[in-house]
Amino acid sequence: QVQVQESGPGVVKPSETLSLTCNVSGGSVSSFHWSWIRQPAGKGLEWIGHIYNTGRIDYSPSLKSRLTMSVDTSKNQFSLKLSTVTAADTAVYYCVREWYTSGWATFDYWGQGTLVTVSS
Amino acid sequence: DVQMTQSPSSLSASVGDRVTINCRASQSIAKYLNWYQQKPEKAPILLIYGASGLQSGIPSRFSGSGSGTDFTLTISSLQPEDFATYYCQQTYVTPQLTFGGGTKVEIK
């Protein structure tokens, strides 16, 4: 069974770059598609972007100019970098497997989430 | 962008009640609609995919219906463990896989 676990600093200063890593176990990172989703405290879910096992990467249009996603197959992990952060980027960040069930895209395996606070 | 609007934003119900949650898309999304359940401090869990497909391991009291722009999640007999927040999500329009604002189901 696939498991994913986010890691990264809990606090990032305004204007700096937020960097998170998602470690994958129970399967190869290169076999699946992966998404990042975030959730500000008390609010709803926001899809950030995904990286497919073909190398295709799509970003949310609202974040695209600040985002970079990549995969490191040697470490079986994938990562997220969000530049020039502000308080509005404070949220729980989830890494998620994107899986096609009967042809329908779904998010079926989620990490536990990691809280990132943007604060000086 | 496709906007996903859920209603109601919250509801109160009793154990055993039939509960219905609605989700409306700002444009047709065929049946590209998923439902998730989220409990406090936990990651969401996939309940329904493709508008009506029941995810493996999810109890049959959960069901989904709809196509085009209007969708419904139904819990046929609410159980204590079902008190949570529910989100719909469209996967028709990429690369913006938008979620609804959520519906919180609380104990009456």
Side-chain angles (χ1 to χ4, degrees), chain A residues 2-36:
Chain A
V2 171
Q3 291 186 313
V4 290
Q5 176 69 60
E6 307 87 354
S7 62
V11 180
V12 181
K13 290 183 169 57
S15 80
E16 295 190 345
T17 296
L18 178 164
S19 296
L20 294 175
T21 297
C22 184
N23 291 290
V24 177
S25 59
S28 171
V29 69
S30 60
S31 297
F32 305 109
H33 314 314
W34 306 100
S35 273
W36 289 95

Side-chain angles (χ1 to χ4, degrees), chain A residues 66-115:
Chain A
R66 299 193 288 134
L67 272 174
T68 304
M69 293 185 185
S70 60
V71 169
D72 186 337
T73 56
S74 66
K75 296 181 179 179
N76 214 40
Q77 63 186 205
F78 60 103
S79 64
L80 164 75
K81 293 185 188 298
L82 180 65
S83 65
T84 323
V85 297
T86 69
D89 296 310
T90 295
V92 173
Y93 286 74
Y94 294 100
C95 60
V96 188
R97 187 180 81 161
E98 190 173 325
W99 181 253
Y100 283 77
T101 300
S102 302
W104 306 101
T106 68
F107 296 148
D108 65 344
Y109 284 104
W110 296 63
Q112 66 183 29
T114 187
L115 174 62

Side-chain angles (χ1 to χ4, degrees), chain B:
Chain B
D1 287 7
V2 179
Q3 307 302 319
M4 307 300 294
T5 303
Q6 288 184 233
S7 61
S9 56
S10 66
L11 64 90
S12 296
S14 301
V15 173
D17 283 354
R18 182 181 181 88
V19 170
T20 298
I21 297 169
N22 300 301
C23 178
R24 173 166 288 177
S26 60
Q27 67 180 73
S28 177
I29 57 170
K31 298 190 74 175
Y32 290 82
L33 192 285
N34 301 327
W35 289 98
Y36 299 84
Q37 176 196 70
Q38 186 180 33
K39 295 181 179 179
E41 311 303 320
K42 297 291 186 182
I45 296 170
L46 175 67
L47 301 175
I48 301 288
Y49 61 87
S52 58
L54 187 66
Q55 174 68 351
S56 175
I58 300 301
S60 59
R61 63 180 180 274
F62 291 94
S63 64
S65 63
S67 66
T69 60
D70 292 298
F71 302 86
T72 299
L73 174 69
T74 300
I75 309 172
S76 60
S77 177
L78 197 66
Q79 299 301 299
E81 60 268 29
D82 300 338
F83 292 96
T85 300
Y86 294 84
Y87 293 94
C88 62
Q89 178 213 14
Q90 69 83 22
T91 60
Y92 183 73
V93 176
T94 61
Q96 189 69 20
L97 306 180
T98 41
F99 291 88
T103 296
K104 186 174 184 178
V105 177
E106 299 176 301
I107 301 172
K108 182 182 283 186

Side-chain angles (χ1 to χ4, degrees), chain A residues 27 34 57 61-62 105:
Chain A
W34 306 100
I57 301 174
S62 64

